[in-house]
Amino acid sequence: MTGARGFRRRVPDRRLRHRARQFGDRRPARRPVRHLHRAGAARFAARAGPGGHGPLGKEEYSNLAYAVLGHALTTVTGCPYRQLVDTHVLLPLGLEAGAVTALPPAEQRLVPRGLFGRPRPLWTLTGPILPAGGLWSTCRTLSQVVTGLLVERRLGPPAPSWQRSSPITWHNGATRGSSVVAAAHDDGRWIVLHRLGAAAGTDRLARKTLLAAPVPHGGT
């Protein structure tokens, strides 16, 4: 399962579309449904129905789909999402449980700031929308996750949720004023780039930097 299939770009029910707009999101497939509650996630899962994304095989990222998949995982296992991340991702990669968290200490967060240097308000992503990107980590931790998953392949082939633009496997993400790219080249080069800026600029800089890096010893 991935967060890119099975859901229309817009929520298919008028009342649910209105609720999504109340969450500050007129296009829930492209921006996080920031305040989706657990009952709402279950209702979306039950009523969304089959999706249509155009040509066969074309995928479209959906924060809503990740929220629903997260709801399914926690419902079936009876475990909180953060515990599932610890058990099935962090610990097998040799990282400590809690190395990725939804509630980091405020003084350790790198956050965007406004014109006068004040922190900009952050999206609340600790509810059912958590699987769509509500977890925080240090760049060092994220780098260990990326190399473990994409370079060393310690958990097997990369999951379908990773994007593939041969010869690069990658994923990106952004919230308000902050963006990150994680990518690995087939020859072993990899990058984790976080910046306080728009996602498009981060994507371009990450690709340029990755391709300019020297090929590791023994790379193809």
Side-chain angles (χ1 to χ4, degrees):
M1 295 189 298
T2 75
R5 295 184 178 134
F7 290 87
R8 297 182 177 92
R9 283 187 52 188
R10 296 183 64 86
V11 181
D13 179 88
R14 287 186 179 181
R15 183 165 57 88
L16 298 183
R17 284 202 298 266
H18 172 69
R19 190 171 190 85
R21 285 194 291 267
Q22 288 180 322
F23 299 150
D25 187 359
R26 291 181 178 273
R27 294 183 299 171
R30 292 193 178 272
R31 297 178 185 145
V33 184
R34 290 174 284 172
H35 305 293
L36 181 67
H37 52 69
R38 191 168 304 278
R43 187 161 59 249
F44 276 128
R47 302 187 64 176
H53 295 299
L56 182 64
K58 181 179 179 181
E59 295 184 355
E60 197 168 275
Y61 182 89
S62 171
N63 285 307
L64 173 61
Y66 273 106
V68 173
L69 288 175
H71 174 76
L73 288 172
T74 56
T75 298
V76 170
T77 63
C79 297
Y81 183 74
R82 281 165 286 184
Q83 182 179 337
L84 295 175
V85 172
D86 288 343
T87 302
H88 298 285
V89 181
L90 298 182
L91 293 176
L93 292 178
L95 294 164
E96 294 183 1
V100 176
T101 178
L103 298 170
E107 66 275 10
Q108 295 182 16
R109 300 182 305 188
L110 180 62
V111 298
R113 296 179 178 272
L115 180 63
F116 299 104
R118 297 174 181 173
R120 297 179 64 182
L122 301 176
W123 290 350
T124 300
L125 298 174
T126 54
I129 198 64
L130 184 65
L135 294 171
W136 296 67
S137 78
T138 64
C139 284
R140 182 182 296 276
T141 294
L142 184 54
S143 296
Q144 290 178 271
V145 171
V146 170
T147 54
L149 294 178
L150 300 185
V151 180
E152 300 168 1
R153 305 286 177 97
R154 294 172 65 178
L155 301 186
S161 51
W162 287 95
Q163 304 297 309
R164 178 72 179 170
S165 300
S166 186
I168 297 173
T169 303
W170 60 277
H171 210 302
N172 61 0
T175 55
R176 185 179 182 184
S178 182
S179 53
V180 65
V181 175
H185 195 285
D186 287 348
D187 62 18
R189 288 177 287 177
W190 61 273
I191 188 171
V192 169
L193 176 63
H194 173 271
R195 62 189 287 269
L196 299 180
T202 305
D203 291 350
R204 289 193 297 268
L205 181 58
R207 181 176 178 82
K208 179 180 178 180
T209 304
L210 177 64
L211 294 178
V215 177
H217 177 70
T220 57

